[in-house]
Amino acid sequence: MVDTSIVTKFAKPDASWFVESRLGMFIHWGTYALASRHEWVKSHEKIPTDAYMAYFNHFDPDLYDPKEWARLAASAGMKYFVVTTKHHEGFCLWDTKHTDYKATKTPYGKDLIKPMVEAFREAGLRVGFYYSLLDWHHPQYTVDRHHPMRDNAAERARNKGRDMRVYAQYMRDQVRELLSNYGTVDIIWYDFSFPGEDGKGREDWESDKLYELTRTLMPNVLIDNRLDLPGSADFVTPEQFQPRAQPVDERGAPAVWEGCQTFSGSWGYHRDEHTWKSVPQILWMLIDGVSKNGNLLLNVGPTGRGEFDCRARERLAGIGEWMKRHSRSIYGCAAAPPEFKCPPDCRLTYNAKTKRLYVHVLTWPMKHLWLTGDSYVQRVEYAQLLNDGSEVQIKGIEPWQNENSGNVSREGAIGLNLPIIKPPADIPVIELFLK
Ligand code: GLC
């Protein structure tokens, strides 16, 4: 039986660097990049391991340049990255001693993780390792409802001879390598549990032991919430949707959270998927998240030749263009104090250290933006556009109503005088200096 009390034996790490960073890069890379039709292709298409080995046998990312990846991430404003050291297919990107199903045994022949970690660290980003709890290659991993062989009666029958305890030990051996040989690891992203019928959860993973090992080797590493072990999460991970409010933890308290999102629908490189989000849409996701105290982990699925594909590069450049001038409303920011009411078609973020409030204007209004409430009236001292530092004049209650206008009560509001033309930014931001 899993000992759930294990979580109380360790101090919780300090997540403040994580919360201040707000934007990170997820990287899903493996031999599925060659199939180019989703990282779950082995399961979706129920491909037997023999046939799936074609991607391993042809894996040769000759254009892989981790310094270029790190440069692209840093210039998009990302402060940390999380890479799939192993995804559900079971392929390992590092030179593990515990299997031959690893990068060093492919035609490419080299460890992919070491140079990646070095390049990203050098570019100033913190390091995160994603490690899949699922493994569709390991011989002792039993066939379950997600497994590629789920409908194969003979493979099902072989479950009797399989021992998940051997697999759980294999995971610990691998995690020991990852947390011992690559310097400080800031995040470990275990993925994922699906307890219940024909599923897997903490008893299968021996989550208590995995948790204990993780905390022992790397006391300050942040652990995600997918181990199926109550109290083990340092942050929660809404995926592929935008939460309507800040998520809560198991006890109902506001949780540290990170939304993980794809550019399109797939995490792994997907050649023929065309539902790519636009730059303004992605910025909206980032801003909306920060306005609810959350981070954004934005995923790139590099190609089989080892590059970020052109659609990703184009999005990253657009994000970087905006972040260059607007990151002040993101880094170190959180939800605005509740006394500041968010105006329509806007999102607010707040930096408690600098006492600045940021109004992200999603739809550019005509001439005036009204900020309603005494807190604005009493506390806003100066306002400027963030893209160019140009003053936004603050008008109180204006006597501009003429006989045709009727009377609208503008009590307890300030009006910001905006230019008619929307500033040249995907989402313009007004910076308010508070008294
Ligand atoms: C899911 C998927 C997976 C992806 C992950 C990212 O659990 O199984 O393919 O890696 O979410 O959050």
Side-chain angles (χ1 to χ4, degrees), residues 227-344:
L227 276 176
D228 184 30
L229 187 66
S232 66
D234 296 316
F235 61 98
V236 303
T237 55
E239 167 181 341
Q240 300 277 32
F241 77 98
Q242 200 64 16
R244 70 186 157 86
Q246 178 171 9
V248 292
D249 64 17
E250 295 126 345
R251 289 158 305 139
V256 174
W257 69 278
E258 174 194 68
C260 49
Q261 308 284 3
T262 52
F263 282 123
S264 60
S266 172
W267 299 89
Y269 175 62
H270 198 312
R271 183 188 60 204
D272 302 331
E273 185 175 60
H274 299 299
T275 53
W276 280 62
K277 297 166 191 83
S278 68
V279 171
Q281 238 174 340
I282 296 161
L283 291 173
W284 175 85
M285 285 152 57
L286 170 65
I287 294 161
D288 185 67
V290 178
S291 80
K292 297 165 184 165
N293 292 322
N295 286 19
L296 173 63
L297 186 65
L298 189 60
N299 180 71
V300 176
T303 69
R305 292 198 64 189
E307 279 194 299
F308 288 2
D309 81 278
C310 54
R311 297 166 293 187
R313 290 202 303 269
E314 192 251 326
R315 294 330 184 265
L316 291 171
I319 295 165
E321 185 63 21
W322 187 87
M323 284 294 280
K324 181 174 170 187
R325 299 179 190 87
H326 299 87
S327 62
R328 236 146 74 187
S329 73
I330 301 295
Y331 300 145
C333 289
E339 62 271 24
F340 293 98
K341 233 181 83 190
C342 186

Side-chain angles (χ1 to χ4, degrees), residues 32-103:
Y32 47 77
L34 273 64
S36 313
R37 48 184 198 277
H38 206 279
E39 77 285 354
W40 275 60
V41 61
K42 190 176 184 188
S43 171
H44 287 169
E45 299 179 14
K46 302 175 192 165
I47 306 175
T49 292
D50 282 357
Y52 195 77
M53 284 303 281
Y55 307 126
F56 179 88
N57 294 334
H58 293 93
F59 188 81
D60 188 13
D62 58 326
L63 299 178
Y64 176 48
D65 178 0
K67 288 205 167 97
E68 174 64 3
W69 290 14
R71 192 189 65 76
L72 291 169
S75 57
M78 286 151 169
K79 295 287 193 191
Y80 62 98
F81 85 112
V82 179
V83 60
T84 54
T85 55
K86 176 190 95 165
H87 202 263
H88 310 335
E89 66 176 1
F91 174 71
C92 300
L93 274 64
W94 80 102
D95 191 15
T96 171
K97 288 197 176 64
H98 306 286
T99 179
D100 280 342
Y101 194 47
K102 57 179 176 179

Side-chain angles (χ1 to χ4, degrees), residues 147-416:
H147 197 281
M149 292 298 106
R150 59 190 169 276
D151 297 334
N152 181 318
E155 280 295 333
R156 282 272 183 194
R158 276 187 210 118
N159 271 354
K160 283 198 196 73
R162 297 191 172 110
D163 187 351
M164 279 296 286
R165 283 168 308 178
V166 175
Y167 174 67
Q169 181 61 50
Y170 169 79
M171 289 203 286
R172 292 195 290 277
D173 291 341
Q174 291 209 315
V175 165
R176 181 180 290 282
E177 287 179 336
L178 290 170
L179 298 183
S180 307
N181 302 339
Y182 296 93
T184 302
V185 176
D186 302 287
I187 297 172
I188 189 133
W189 229 98
Y190 292 118
D191 191 38
F192 65 87
S193 298
F194 50 109
E197 212 191 318
D198 207 15
K200 287 190 173 73
R202 57 178 173 252
E203 300 293 337
D204 304 282
W205 318 132
E206 299 180 5
S207 295
D208 51 346
K209 292 192 186 133
L210 198 51
Y211 183 84
E212 184 175 34
L213 178 75
T214 306
R215 281 270 179 266
T216 307
L217 292 173
M218 203 63 77
N220 292 320
V221 73
L222 300 180
I223 304 177
D224 72 338
N225 63 333
R226 297 188 179 189
L227 276 176
D228 184 30
L229 187 66
S232 66
D234 296 316
F235 61 98
V236 303
T237 55
E239 167 181 341
Q240 300 277 32
F241 77 98
Q242 200 64 16
R244 70 186 157 86
Q246 178 171 9
V248 292
D249 64 17
E250 295 126 345
R251 289 158 305 139
V256 174
W257 69 278
E258 174 194 68
C260 49
Q261 308 284 3
T262 52
F263 282 123
S264 60
S266 172
W267 299 89
Y269 175 62
H270 198 312
R271 183 188 60 204
D272 302 331
E273 185 175 60
H274 299 299
T275 53
W276 280 62
K277 297 166 191 83
S278 68
V279 171
Q281 238 174 340
I282 296 161
L283 291 173
W284 175 85
M285 285 152 57
L286 170 65
I287 294 161
D288 185 67
V290 178
S291 80
K292 297 165 184 165
N293 292 322
N295 286 19
L296 173 63
L297 186 65
L298 189 60
N299 180 71
V300 176
T303 69
R305 292 198 64 189
E307 279 194 299
F308 288 2
D309 81 278
C310 54
R311 297 166 293 187
R313 290 202 303 269
E314 192 251 326
R315 294 330 184 265
L316 291 171
I319 295 165
E321 185 63 21
W322 187 87
M323 284 294 280
K324 181 174 170 187
R325 299 179 190 87
H326 299 87
S327 62
R328 236 146 74 187
S329 73
I330 301 295
Y331 300 145
C333 289
E339 62 271 24
F340 293 98
K341 233 181 83 190
C342 186
D345 304 323
C346 294
R347 288 293 180 282
L348 296 178
T349 65
Y350 179 65
N351 186 319
K353 280 196 192 123
T354 61
K355 285 216 220 119
R356 295 184 199 176
L357 188 64
Y358 296 95
V359 188
H360 301 77
V361 187
L362 306 176
T363 303
W364 197 246
M366 200 277 279
K367 271 194 194 159
H368 303 103
L369 182 71
W370 292 99
L371 304 175
T372 312
D374 290 343
S375 299
Y376 288 111
V377 177
Q378 285 154 17
R379 295 194 49 204
V380 176
E381 156 192 288
Y382 185 78
Q384 64 182 13
L385 287 176
L386 201 46
N387 63 296
D388 63 358
S390 62
E391 183 183 7
V392 171
Q393 289 186 301
I394 302 170
K395 298 285 161 143
I397 300 168
E398 283 284 275
W400 58 49
Q401 302 100 312
N402 58 31
E403 55 278 17
N404 298 322
S405 326
N407 283 316
V408 175
S409 166
R410 294 192 180 87
E411 217 172 334
I414 58 172
L416 301 177

